[in-house]
C-alpha cells in the first residue's frame, strides 16, 4: 500500500491509501468507538475530494468490530456536503453490528453497496482503478 496514511489509537487502526488518483481505500481494524479516527479519515477524504472531480471510495471494514454512533454520525454528516463528488461508496464488512451502522448511514446518503466477500470487494476496487474517473459503475454480482 504505497503512500498509505496510518492512524493508531487504543481502540484500533485506520489506514487510507489511493491505488489510483480517483480511488480511495480505507481499512479499519478494531472498534471505532469515538469520532477521532472518523474525523481523521474524513479530513483526508475531504482533502482528496477537493482536488478530484469524482472519487470512488471503498471502506474495508471487515475487521471493524464496532461502528459507534458518534463516529457514524460524524462520517455521515461530513459525507453529505461532498456526496456530489463521490462516484461510488462501497463497504466490506464482517460484523452485523457494523452493517447496522452502515445501513443507517446509507439511508442518509442514498444507498451504500455492501460486500461480505473480500474477493468481490477487491475485484470492485480493481475495476474502479482501471476505470476513468467517474466511469466506474458497480454492478453486482461482479463478473471476471
Amino acid at each position: 500500500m504505497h503512500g498509505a496514511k496510518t492512524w493508531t489509537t487504543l481502540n484500533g487502526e485506520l489506514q487510507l491509501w489511493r491505488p489510483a488518483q480517483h480511488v480511495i481505500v480505507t481499512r479499519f481494524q478494531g472498534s471505532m468507538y469515538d469520532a477521532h479516527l472518523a474525523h481523521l479519515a474524513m479530513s483526508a477524504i475531504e482533502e482528496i475530494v477537493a482536488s478530484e472531480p469524482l472519487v470512488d471510495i471503498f471502506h474495508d471494514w471487515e475487521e471493524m468490530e464496532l461502528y459507534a454512533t458518534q463516529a457514524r454520525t460524524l462520517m455521515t454528516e461530513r459525507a453529505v456536503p461532498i456526496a456530489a463528488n463521490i462516484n461510488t461508496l462501497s463497504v466490506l464488512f464482517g460484523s452485523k453490528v457494523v452493517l447496522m451502522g452502515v445501513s443507517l448511514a446509507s439511508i442518509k446518503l442514498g444507498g451504500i453497496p455492501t460486500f461480505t466477500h473480500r474477493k468481490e470487494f477487491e475485484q470492485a476496487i480493481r475495476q474502479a482503478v482501471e476505470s476513468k474517473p467517474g466511469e466506474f459503475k458497480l454492478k453486482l454480482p461482479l463478473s471476471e
Side-chain angles (χ1 to χ4, degrees), residues 2 7 21 82 127:
H2 179 68
W7 299 275
Q21 195 69 16
I82 62 172
Q127 289 177 0

Side-chain angles (χ1 to χ4, degrees), residues 36-125:
H36 178 67
L37 288 174
H39 167 74
L40 294 172
M42 288 308 300
S43 294
I45 290 169
E46 289 163 343
E47 184 179 321
I48 294 166
V49 166
S51 65
E52 292 296 321
L54 285 173
V55 297
D56 296 293
I57 301 173
F58 294 89
H59 291 309
D60 179 346
W61 290 352
E62 186 175 41
E63 299 298 321
M64 182 187 284
E65 299 160 9
L66 176 68
Y67 189 27
T69 301
Q70 186 180 7
R72 177 184 47 79
T73 300
L74 181 140
M75 290 190 85
T76 303
E77 294 302 320
R78 288 182 58 181
V80 169
I82 62 172
N85 295 81
I86 299 173
N87 183 51
T88 62
L89 170 62
S90 304
V91 179
L92 171 66
F93 72 95
S95 161
K96 290 185 181 186
V97 173
V98 173
L99 174 60
M100 185 174 67
V102 171
S103 296
L104 291 170
S106 181
I107 293 167
K108 189 136 193 173
L109 295 173
I112 298 173
T114 58
F115 291 81
T116 57
H117 299 289
R118 174 160 299 283
K119 181 179 175 186
E120 291 178 351
F121 181 74
E122 290 179 353
Q123 185 179 356
I125 294 171

